[in-house]
Amino acid sequence: MAKKIYLSPSSQPANIYAGLDTNEQEVCRAIARELATDLKRCGFDVKCGDYGTMYDRVAESNGWMAHLHIPIHTNAFNGKVSGTRLMSFDTSGKGYKVCQAIFKELDAITPGTSSNITAKPGLYEIQSAVAPTAYVEVDFHDVPEVAKWLVENKPQIAEAICKGVCEYYGVEFVPAGSDPEPSPEPSPAPEKKISGLPTVQYGRRGDAAKIVQAALIQRGFSCGVSGVDGVFGAASVSSLKNYQKKVGITADGICGPATWGQILGV
């Protein structure tokens, strides 16, 4: 079974990069998307939570039962200090060992020199994620030349983090451009349809939404921090799409006759 890696990039658009028209959220989400591609190429199962708040992402990571949780951020202090900082729950557990592997690869390419790994058990994502957590602060975006480097080297940053994860799990790193021949797509299962039930899609409220949310959660697909609340929001739509992909039906995030048929097992 492939290891499940959850990526939790920054949701802080107010953290502006020095001298540039971009911000921490934009850059870190781009890094996370690059990293997701790299990790999948190396055989990992990946979810990239490039939406919502850290509370949404931790809930999704826990509901998915991730094996490793990786928040991705950039840092700021006084416009002068720069370096790679990684954080874990303690300095002896699995999270720390992952940090060590990532740090070896990432610190070798980042421009800053004030770099370290520390224990930060009070940080929400480190404290609340069930999976071991390697919290990555790539470098400092309030230093102009470092901010420019961060923007220009997103693929290299993602590759370095991926190499560290591969090293920790003893998995061979597969570089971009050397993807193996894809396996043939399995034939989709015949659709089982059931009519007469309401369509549940984004914005739907009420008992039908609750039924779909409960069914998804029971099958291991998190509907966000609110769980079964009867409000079919973005997290529920994302969860439904993932479920639809798994069972081989159209992944549109809408629970119509075919999806009801799968959920109810008819």
Side-chain angles (χ1 to χ4, degrees):
M1 175 183 172
K3 295 295 183 183
K4 299 194 288 188
I5 316 296
Y6 190 91
L7 306 179
S8 177
S10 169
S11 50
Q12 297 162 291
N15 292 348
I16 303 300
Y17 273 39
L20 300 172
D21 184 23
T22 190
N23 59 71
E24 182 179 351
Q25 174 178 291
E26 185 174 301
V27 172
C28 290
R29 288 185 175 183
I31 292 169
R33 288 190 287 270
E34 293 270 5
L35 177 55
T37 299
D38 291 344
L39 289 167
K40 289 175 183 177
R41 189 173 59 247
C42 296
F44 293 98
D45 196 359
V46 184
K47 276 196 177 183
C48 183
D50 56 350
Y51 72 94
T53 68
M54 64 179 175
Y55 307 105
D56 298 321
R57 297 190 297 275
V58 167
E60 183 172 57
S61 176
N62 291 346
W64 188 46
M65 294 183 288
H67 295 106
L68 177 63
H69 186 83
I70 306 180
I72 301 170
H73 291 260
T74 54
N75 216 332
F77 181 51
N78 63 1
K80 297 178 182 178
V81 172
S82 64
T84 298
R85 308 286 177 88
L86 272 78
M87 292 165 279
S88 57
F89 185 79
D90 54 30
T91 56
S92 61
K94 293 179 180 178
Y96 180 70
K97 290 179 173 62
V98 179
C99 283
Q100 287 179 305
I102 294 173
F103 184 85
K104 185 179 83 170
E105 300 291 339
L106 188 57
D107 188 51
I109 67 168
T110 50
T113 57
S114 178
S115 303
N116 57 47
I117 306 173
T118 55
K120 295 285 185 181
L123 288 180
Y124 178 79
E125 290 202 67
I126 293 176
Q127 182 184 74
S128 301
V130 172
T133 299
Y135 195 111
V136 179
E137 295 270 15
V138 180
D139 211 318
F140 284 65
H141 60 252
D142 60 342
V143 179
E145 60 270 23
V146 176
K148 183 173 184 291
W149 184 90
L150 288 164
V151 170
E152 293 176 350
N153 289 273
K154 294 187 289 290
Q156 292 84 348
I157 293 165
E159 181 177 287
I161 297 172
C162 182
K163 286 179 176 178
V165 174
C166 286
E167 180 177 330
Y168 173 76
Y169 282 113
V171 171
E172 182 180 357
F173 172 71
V174 180
S178 57
D179 304 69
E181 288 294 320
S183 301
E185 289 289 330
S187 300
E191 288 191 348
K192 300 178 286 185
K193 296 187 177 183
I194 184 168
S195 58
L197 290 171
T199 298
V200 176
Q201 56 190 341
Y202 181 79
R204 178 87 188 199
R205 295 170 178 264
D207 290 340
K210 286 183 178 180
I211 291 170
V212 178
Q213 288 173 325
L216 290 169
I217 291 169
Q218 185 180 33
R219 288 161 173 79
F221 295 85
S222 170
C223 290
V225 68
S226 299
V228 181
D229 61 356
V231 179
F232 212 72
S236 297
V237 170
S238 175
S239 177
L240 181 57
K241 285 181 179 178
N242 289 330
Y243 171 70
Q244 290 170 323
K245 289 176 186 176
K246 181 177 179 181
V247 299
I249 59 178
T250 302
D252 55 8
I254 299 171
C255 186
T259 304
W260 275 118
Q262 289 289 337
I263 286 175
L264 299 178
V266 298

